Amino acid sequence: MTPSAYLPFLIQAVIAAGLTGLVISASTFFGQRGRHTRIKDSAYECGVPGEGVVHTRYSVKFYVTALLFMLFDLEIVILIPWTFIYREFLHQHIPIFGPILFFIFVLVLGLVYEIRKGALEWER
């Protein structure tokens, strides 16, 4: 592939970054600025003043579960396009099956490791 084949992607990325910067700048410039007071900065609990610790601690299992979800979600994002381009790679005599099997093997190996370490067990 020639570098000119990547030009549409580059243009789209520049436009997306420009629009993002424009929206954030416009929000900062034209947006309302709130006043910080003790009452406005306090947590609202159904009209009752908050008692005790405002910031409760969450179990690490919530974060581990979220990270595992993101990991396996990303693997699907990689595998789905592979299914669409598999025929094109075979047509051009590019060996793609071995690398994909290695990728799936590494993911299954990671899943087995997580199961053996008990990362998927909610209560221990």
Side-chain angles (χ1 to χ4, degrees):
M1 292 185 93
T2 62
S4 63
Y6 295 104
L7 187 62
F9 172 76
L10 182 62
I11 292 171
Q12 184 177 4
V14 168
I15 289 173
L19 283 175
T20 302
L22 181 71
V23 168
I24 291 173
S25 299
S27 173
T28 303
F29 185 69
F30 295 115
Q32 292 181 350
R33 287 163 183 78
R35 295 183 183 142
H36 293 282
T37 63
R38 186 175 151 263
I39 294 174
K40 283 192 176 187
D41 290 341
S42 67
Y44 180 75
E45 296 181 13
C46 301
V48 178
E51 295 179 3
V53 179
V54 177
H55 300 289
T56 59
R57 291 186 176 202
Y58 290 104
S59 174
V60 175
K61 291 185 181 269
F62 289 110
Y63 299 109
V64 171
T65 304
L67 287 175
L68 292 176
F69 173 77
M70 287 174 30
L71 172 73
F72 288 110
D73 195 37
L74 285 176
E75 83 180 35
I76 294 300
V77 168
I78 292 171
L79 287 177
I80 287 177
W82 171 75
T83 61
F84 290 123
I85 63 170
Y86 180 70
R87 288 186 193 162
E88 294 176 20
F89 276 100
L90 286 180
H91 182 69
Q92 296 177 6
H93 305 292
I94 299 173
I96 186 88
F97 195 64
I100 291 299
L101 280 181
F102 179 73
F103 177 74
I104 292 173
F105 171 74
V106 169
L107 291 175
V108 169
L109 190 66
L111 180 63
V112 169
Y113 176 78
E114 291 170 5
I115 290 172
R116 293 192 77 189
K117 285 292 186 176
L120 301 177
E121 295 175 14
W122 192 253
E123 294 181 15
R124 278 195 231 177

